[in-house]
Amino acid sequence: MDKVCIQGGTSLNGEVVVSGAKNACMAMMAASLLTDEVCILRNVPQLRDVDFFIQLLQTLGVEIEALEPHTWKLQAKQVVYEAPYDLVRKMRASVCVMGALIGRLRRASLPLPGGCIIGNRPIDLHLKGFQKLGCSVSMEAGIVQISADHLQGNSVFLGGRFGSTVTGTANLLMAAVCAPGTTTIESAACEPEIVDLCQLLQQMGADIEGIGSPTLKIVGKKSLHGFDYTVVGDRIEAGTFLLAGLVTQGNVKVVGCPPQFLSALLHVLESIHAEISYHPSVPSIEVFPCLERLIPFEITTLPFPGFPTDLQAQMCVLGICIPGISLITERIYPQRFMHLAELQRLGAHILLEDSTAILQGGSALSGSEVMASDLRASAALYLAGLAAEGTTVIHRVYHVDRGYEAFDQKLRNVGAKIQRVEDH
Ligand code: EPU
């Protein structure tokens, strides 16, 4: 297991090219299960989660070949419906194969993915949706068994206590594009990654209306074609680097993520007087040194186009760098606050009231030993380490490799002093 040592207190300056979106590409790779034709996916990030997902698809029968470092050829000539526990347990995104297996084989058998450190993560909405399409769902020894004698389009509602479900929408889409008749998904997720998936499915010949809205209308097709598609840029990676620029008093330009995907973040940053410029045509977003004039903020995480939960931990770091009290309420995963205790080790003053972090910002941060607990919490610890004086050591740093391509290197390219060493 590795740890990273960050020598903080240096401004980050320069350009970062974002990789393809992690949370788009796994559902897109799963879409290759819907056809026996060749599928090419470009701009796939090099991540541990993608490696696991490729292994999972291979066990389901997909032939996969790397054409270039970020380009994969996938072909699912023969598919099996059973996913092995060992791979599914490693990654929550494994649930994305369910919808595609149902679409192709009318059958899926998958171990329950379970919860994770960011809180309880049920799949009840996915399963209710499949039932609406005519599937029977049962659970045997921790394995979800789904099968349909007659898959049939229907009206499906995907709203839950915490809003819609992103992977649930991806799953229902992939079953519905192959279900005879018309399916209407109400309260569908509107995240850019879902829009990207819909566009890929359209390239395969799917008939989908309402893309980007909470109501998707799908007319099922008998068969679908292959695709050659380029994954959209990762908005969470882009947001993470912009916040790294701000907390280090730097000038960071991120290239490759359309600014409209980050409008909630950009709106908050503008309202607290951050100096930002963006160019939708490139696309690029740039932040300039302005930390001393920023004012405290109040945000609540919400489904898109609201403030993304996947940038909540990183925003906590901005909050502790701005003098005054900032409030951050988590409405998607109310328990996603494991990073707070670690930020306190660096000298941050934070209280947690239910699912609201109360950040008393402005005290000097000083380097410390901290422990990464999940992907976004790890990114937040990197940012805090970069903003702090002295050396910060982050243990269990493997979490960051699950979702950020070459994170250390990209940060070093803009001036960060980071070293990765073996943790004994
Ligand atoms: N929920 C239910 N029932 C369900 C499904 C979800 O109650 O059947 C609840 C969840 O517990 C949560 C909320 O609904 O409170 C939203 O969950 P969602 O299903 O949208 O999350 P997800 O699809 O499992 C994806 C991303 C997450 C991201 C969330 C929210 C992937 C692989 N993961 O998860 O990404 O936080 O949407 O935007 O797409 C990350 O990248 O660090 C990450 C955790």
Side-chain angles (χ1 to χ4, degrees):
M1 233 183 266
D2 289 347
K3 62 182 177 187
V4 294
C5 304
I6 300 176
Q7 189 63 45
T10 307
S11 296
L12 301 190
N13 291 294
E15 188 173 298
V16 178
V17 178
V18 297
S19 301
K22 166 181 92 80
N23 287 346
C25 79
M26 281 180 282
M28 289 177 163
M29 289 186 139
S32 68
L33 288 163
L34 294 169
T35 176
D36 59 6
E37 294 184 15
V38 169
C39 300
I40 311 271
L41 196 59
R42 301 175 191 275
N43 200 29
V44 178
Q46 292 179 338
L47 302 171
R48 265 173 39 128
D49 271 10
V50 170
D51 294 341
F52 288 139
F53 204 75
I54 285 173
Q55 282 175 44
L56 173 61
L57 290 178
Q58 283 170 330
T59 65
L60 295 174
V62 187
E63 290 165 27
I64 306 184
E65 189 191 329
L67 298 182
E68 284 166 33
H70 295 92
T71 303
W72 293 89
K73 176 179 163 198
L74 306 101
Q75 191 169 19
K77 285 186 200 146
Q78 295 225 309
V79 178
V80 297
Y81 66 88
E82 285 171 308
Y85 173 75
D86 260 1
L87 283 169
V88 173
R89 77 177 168 83
K90 285 188 181 150
M91 194 187 30
R92 160 101 195 161
S94 316
V95 291
C96 290
V97 299
M98 269 185 189
L101 287 174
I102 294 165
R104 175 82 178 260
L105 300 176
R106 307 313 197 225
R107 205 163 174 192
S109 169
L110 205 89
L112 208 57
C116 69
I117 197 87
I118 66 174
N120 188 22
R121 297 181 75 183
I123 56 164
D124 55 311
L125 297 169
H126 307 223
L127 300 181
K128 276 187 207 146
F130 292 140
Q131 282 171 325
K132 281 284 202 157
L133 297 187
C135 296
S136 65
V137 175
S138 64
M139 176 90 102
E140 287 157 31
I143 312 241
V144 189
Q145 305 280 2
I146 309 170
S147 62
D149 291 335
H150 302 288
L151 203 60
Q152 178 62 46
N154 200 349
S155 170
V156 176
F157 183 78
L158 280 184
R161 252 181 88 198
F162 302 103
S164 187
T165 159
V166 177
T167 47
T169 303
N171 260 334
L172 265 296
L173 268 166
M174 287 192 273
V177 290
C178 297
T182 302
T183 298
T184 308
I185 305 180
E186 300 281 4
S187 197
C190 303
E191 269 64 8
E193 294 76 19
I194 293 295
V195 171
D196 215 27
L197 174 66
C198 287
Q199 285 164 354
L200 174 143
L201 292 170
Q202 280 185 323
Q203 208 192 77
M204 297 178 82
D207 180 346
I208 308 173
E209 277 177 31
I211 295 176
S213 82
T215 305
L216 296 171
K217 192 172 151 209
I218 302 124
V219 181
K221 290 284 168 80
K222 272 211 176 82
S223 64
L224 293 174
H225 303 294
F227 57 80
D228 185 338
Y229 198 85
T230 302
V231 182
V232 72
D234 195 311
R235 65 193 165 107
I236 304 302
E237 185 193 4
T240 302
F241 278 101
L242 292 173
L243 291 168
L246 283 174
V247 300
T248 61
Q249 282 278 34
N251 172 201
V252 171
K253 181 176 184 178
V254 293
V255 178
C257 170
Q260 65 271 24
F261 289 2
L262 278 174
S263 50
L265 172 70
L266 298 179
H267 172 78
V268 174
L269 296 181
E270 277 171 353
S271 72
I272 64 171
H273 309 153
E275 198 181 336
I276 320 169
S277 74
Y278 36 95
H279 305 281
S281 55
V282 180
S284 71
I285 312 170
E286 188 167 3
V287 291
F288 300 90
C290 56
L291 190 57
E292 70 291 333
R293 68 162 196 243
L294 300 188
I295 58 171
F297 56 85
E298 193 174 334
I299 58 164
T300 299
T301 65
L302 290 168
F304 190 84
F307 196 93
T309 173
D310 294 339
L311 284 175
Q312 178 260 107
Q314 302 88 315
M315 272 307 270
C316 286
V317 181
L318 183 62
I320 60 178
C321 291
I322 301 174
I325 292 185
S326 291
L327 301 177
I328 300 187
T329 301
E330 176 56 67
R331 287 252 188 275
I332 310 285
Y333 299 114
Q335 300 161 42
R336 192 178 204 177
F337 283 115
M338 300 294 285
H339 44 284
L340 298 187
E342 302 306 303
L343 293 177
Q344 282 170 330
R345 290 182 201 278
L346 296 162
H349 297 296
I350 307 173
L351 278 178
L352 184 60
E353 278 272 329
D354 298 325
S355 49
T356 299
I358 304 167
L359 309 153
Q360 166 81 64
S363 335
L365 300 177
S366 58
S368 164
E369 302 231 355
V370 290
M371 185 78 79
S373 57
D374 71 82
L375 171 59
R376 307 304 171 188
S378 316
L381 295 178
Y382 269 75
L383 267 50
L386 290 164
E389 287 300 327
T391 306
T392 293
V393 179
I394 309 177
H395 299 276
R396 300 215 177 159
V397 75
Y398 61 86
H399 289 287
V400 91
D401 303 329
R402 286 189 33 224
Y404 287 91
E405 178 172 340
F407 197 48
D408 296 12
Q409 190 54 51
K410 286 189 184 185
L411 283 168
R412 275 197 288 265
N413 292 347
V414 288
K417 294 179 182 154
I418 296 181
Q419 250 192 322
R420 198 177 274 225
V421 290
E422 212 175 310
D423 202 355
H424 297 291

